[in-house]
Amino acid sequence: MASQEQPDRTISTNVMTSQDLSMPRMLYGCAWKKEKTKKLVLKALRNGFRGFDTAAQPKHYFEAGAGEALAEFLAEQNDLKREDLFVQTKVNRKHAATLVEVSSGDENNDFGGDDIGAQVKASVSASLVNLQTTYVDSLLLHSPYSKFKHTLEAWKAMEEAVDQGYAKQIGISNVKSLEELQRLHASARIKPAVVQQRFHRKTGFEREMRQWCLQNGVYFQSFWTLTANSKEGKPGKDAVLSPEVQNMAKKYLVSPQVLFYRWAMHDQVVCPLNGTSSKDHMKEDLKVFEIALSEEDFQVISAVVYRDL
């Protein structure tokens, strides 16, 4: 991205499926929200977010709560329709096909038996019910299987979901390596539109994967973008709380957290997830789209982030 440019609020994705789809550059993440999911997703939508990320995985997500928020938000809007919002969910391997509202808390329901394709289809059906929608904009495989043939079997079922209009794009999260992502990309009829990964020092901020994504039309959704990079007590290791970032944030009249989001979004491949529960932080974090970060300042922050790696 050239210097002194503001990041786009949305990006066009998934040319492989000929879908006219715009994905927000920042999604609201629903993980670990539990019974607060509806309230927080509704708050995020009312304060400017236009997309959220959830999953058919009751252990970490209350997918039906996100669906309730979506329905209530659309009901109170006069100028927005379902197609104006971006809904992303995930197929969680094997036991994902749990209808949260009717499962009686049993996460071990396996509606598809040992048939991976059937598991995926059951998971998608459950998500559409939970989310009160006829399609999702983005469907991710929560993580690869230990055997690639099983990952590919699940992927083919997700491709069918695109063919049938239940999903507009597909992707994957928590891949173990760039090679694993490349193998899926090479084998897939419908290529991954996004890969969702942790974003922190222990993985080197996935620099090699992000570069490959940039070159191959895959968008990198980052999670733990702030929580893994702003823990006090580690001088020189915590980029968000570093003196350099904190001082530069004053220059741009934003918080260090917002400036770190802006740094991460400097190349157009990165789309962070945001999980704040604070109304003020929701509004503040969306100011990331107003920052024209200079190339010089980007390089200063990069030096801090990658220091000692």
Side-chain angles (χ1 to χ4, degrees):
M1 183 183 290
S3 63
Q4 297 295 341
E5 287 187 2
Q6 298 172 341
D8 295 330
R9 287 182 176 269
T10 63
I11 47 180
S12 297
T13 68
N14 207 18
V15 294
M16 295 300 298
T17 59
S18 301
Q19 298 280 2
D20 183 13
L21 182 63
S22 293
M23 183 171 71
R25 288 295 305 276
M26 183 178 285
L27 294 176
Y28 187 71
C30 299
W32 304 107
K33 302 296 189 289
K34 298 183 178 180
E35 71 280 355
K36 297 180 180 179
T37 298
K38 176 183 177 180
K39 176 182 177 181
L40 291 175
V41 172
L42 196 53
K43 184 189 294 186
L45 292 172
R46 286 171 175 167
N47 285 283
F49 282 84
R50 288 297 174 260
F52 60 82
D53 168 84
T54 184
Q57 185 199 25
K59 182 178 180 181
H60 298 142
Y61 298 85
F62 180 34
E63 189 178 50
E68 291 170 5
L70 175 66
E72 184 168 330
F73 180 71
L74 288 174
E76 66 188 29
Q77 298 298 312
N78 293 320
D79 57 343
L80 289 176
K81 299 179 180 180
R82 166 66 184 88
E83 54 267 30
D84 298 315
L85 302 178
F86 188 92
V87 177
Q88 177 171 280
T89 193
K90 306 181 193 74
V91 173
N92 191 45
R93 292 172 29 197
K94 193 167 184 176
H95 299 309
T98 303
L99 278 167
V100 176
E101 295 176 311
V102 299
S103 67
S104 301
D106 180 7
E107 293 185 38
N108 293 316
N109 281 339
D110 185 3
F111 293 94
D114 293 327
D115 185 328
I116 291 175
Q119 292 165 10
V120 171
K121 292 176 183 178
S123 179
V124 172
S125 295
S127 289
L128 295 180
V129 172
N130 287 338
L131 293 167
Q132 302 184 44
T133 185
T134 58
Y135 71 94
V136 294
D137 299 276
S138 188
L139 178 68
L140 309 188
L141 183 61
H142 195 278
S143 60
Y145 288 76
S146 57
K147 294 183 179 180
F148 179 71
K149 67 178 182 179
H150 293 155
T151 299
L152 199 56
E153 188 176 345
W155 192 263
K156 289 179 179 178
M158 292 168 63
E159 290 176 330
E160 290 180 13
V162 175
D163 295 338
Q164 295 165 357
Y166 297 134
K168 288 193 172 185
Q169 71 176 26
I170 51 180
I172 192 166
S173 65
N174 299 299
V175 297
K176 298 179 182 65
S177 66
L178 172 57
E179 289 72 24
E180 189 171 45
L181 176 60
Q182 290 172 324
R183 187 179 184 188
L184 176 61
H185 189 275
S187 302
R189 172 172 61 90
I190 298 178
K191 307 299 183 184
V194 298
V195 59
Q196 187 182 111
Q197 298 286 102
R198 295 176 179 86
F199 192 72
H200 55 76
R201 294 184 62 83
K202 288 183 179 180
T203 61
F205 296 94
E206 300 283 16
R207 294 174 75 179
E208 186 180 6
M209 183 179 294
R210 286 190 287 127
Q211 182 61 34
W212 182 88
C213 286
L214 188 61
Q215 296 170 349
N216 289 275
V218 179
Y219 289 95
F220 184 100
Q221 291 181 350
S222 64
F223 67 94
W224 291 3
T225 313
L226 292 184
T227 54
N229 298 296
S230 57
K231 297 180 179 179
E232 296 188 51
K234 298 181 181 178
K237 300 292 185 180
D238 304 315
V240 177
L241 298 176
S242 67
E244 296 93 333
V245 173
Q246 293 195 66
N247 289 334
M248 193 178 294
K250 296 176 183 177
K251 170 183 174 180
Y252 286 94
L253 302 177
V254 296
S255 69
Q257 290 80 5
V258 173
L259 185 62
F260 189 77
Y261 273 135
R262 178 61 182 86
W263 169 83
M265 296 167 71
H266 196 66
D267 70 51
Q268 294 203 10
V269 71
V270 179
C271 305
L273 301 186
N274 182 306
T276 183
S277 60
S278 164
K279 175 181 176 180
D280 291 339
H281 288 168
M282 289 173 181
K283 290 183 175 181
E284 183 180 27
D285 291 345
L286 289 175
K287 289 182 180 179
V288 69
F289 298 107
E290 302 172 8
I291 301 173
L293 184 66
S294 72
E295 187 66 30
E296 180 181 1
D297 288 343
F298 169 75
Q299 295 298 337
V300 170
I301 299 174
S302 295
V304 173
V305 172
Y306 298 137
R307 184 162 51 200
D308 300 326
L309 283 179

